[in-house]
């Protein structure tokens, strides 16, 4: 059992693979001007599609949802079938660093808890060409909420994701990458605890048992517990922030 398999097995039965909520998806969607129009949305790093289904149910959009793991896409397709949305959602196995769409294909690019995999600046720069002029991008990204913070949490995040930065600096990156910021808001506790850490931690014991308590599986679960513990102790200093921005006409 390698690490990738553990990641897939640990997360694939969850509604979400990262912090988020239906309310947050809808709040971000509320900043876009075309709720009922037949727009085209690209959902990058869709996971098992928690936000994809919300987007489909609350817009008239055609959605292309991409992820690197076919096991997650299979779960999305099952949900899409149950919700009678198969005519509106297409799931594609694709890497976010090498998307293969035509330029200016989408009205909206959506990405929840996923852009960090290639980095905020790289993702924003690479994906811009797939947006139509006046199109919108909505991404959530780990950000510092305060100007100063304890060393312990700085060390933790600088190791895990060196691109973590303040909201102000993230807004500058958005600008630098050729977008105009429209809005941003901080994801609340429910997004992290009720929807992400709690469901996976509740299944940890059964998960370790399934893999015979090997050192690998114990280490993997322990890393998740440390991450959740960090959040509980230092949540005043960081969170995911949803950034909504527009690609101006060039
Ligand atoms: N958007 C989902 C959510 O909020 O529940 C999933 C978020 S999860 C933290 C990040 C997702 O990005 C995972 O589904 C993972 O498979 C996907 N991912 C990671 N690296 C990727 C890459 N290079 N290309 C495409 N997908 C990737």
């Amino acid at each position: 059992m390698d690490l990738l398999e553990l990641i897939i097995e640990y997360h694939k039965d969850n509604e979400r693979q990262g912090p988020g909520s239906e309310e947050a998806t809808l709040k971000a969607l509320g900043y876009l001007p075309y709720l009922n129009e037949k727009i085209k949305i690209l959902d990058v790093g869709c996971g098992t599609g928690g936000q994809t289904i919300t987007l489909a149910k609350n817009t008239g959009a055609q959605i292309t949802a991409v992820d690197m793991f076919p096991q997650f896409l299979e779960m999305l397709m099952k949900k899409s079938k149950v919700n009678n949305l198969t005519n509106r959602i297409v799931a594609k196995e694709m890497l976010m660093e090498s998307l293969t769409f035509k330029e200016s294909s989408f009205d909206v690019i959506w990405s929840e808890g996923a852009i960090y995999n290639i980095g905020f600046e790289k993702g924003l720069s690479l994906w811009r060409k797939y947006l139509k002029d006046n199109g919108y991008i909505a991404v959530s990204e780990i950000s510092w909420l305060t100007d100063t913070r304890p060393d312990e949490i700085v060390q933790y995040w600088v190791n895990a994701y060196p691109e973590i930065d303040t909201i102000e600096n993230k807004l500058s990156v958005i600008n630098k990458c050729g977008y105009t910021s429209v809005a941003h808001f901080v994801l609340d506790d429910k997004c992290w605890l009720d929807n992400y850490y709690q469901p996976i931690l509740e299944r940890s014991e059964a998960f370790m048992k399934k893999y015979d308590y090997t050192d690998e599986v114990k280490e993997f679960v322990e890393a998740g517990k440390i991450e959740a513990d960090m959040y509980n102790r230092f949540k005043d200093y960081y969170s995911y922030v949803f950034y909504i921005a527009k690609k101006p006409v060039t």
Side-chain angles (χ1 to χ4, degrees), residues 7-8 11 14-21 25 43-52 66-70 72-73 79 92-99 110-118 127 140 195-196 240:
I7 293 174
I8 293 165
H11 290 284
N14 291 325
E15 178 62 16
R16 294 191 161 263
Q17 287 67 51
S21 69
T25 301
D43 182 2
V44 185
C46 61
T48 63
Q51 70 291 314
T52 323
V66 303
D67 202 278
M68 68 188 288
F69 291 139
F72 289 173
L73 296 171
K79 287 183 203 168
K92 286 190 195 251
E93 187 182 335
M94 207 181 274
L95 290 176
M96 61 174 78
E97 56 272 47
S98 45
L99 299 173
W110 205 272
S111 186
E112 293 197 26
I115 197 169
Y116 75 89
N117 286 292
I118 56 169
W127 301 345
S140 63
N195 295 351
Y196 182 52
Y240 266 98

Side-chain angles (χ1 to χ4, degrees), residues 1-7 9 207 210-211 214 216-217:
M1 166 85 25
D2 68 13
L3 185 62
L4 278 189
E5 278 176 78
L6 283 179
I7 293 174
E9 286 304 313
F207 185 71
K210 181 175 165 189
Y211 294 106
T214 58
E216 265 174 323
V217 78

Side-chain angles (χ1 to χ4, degrees), residues 20 52 158 174 203-204 240 243:
T52 323
V158 167
I174 287 174
R203 296 213 317 264
S204 293
Y240 266 98
Y243 296 94

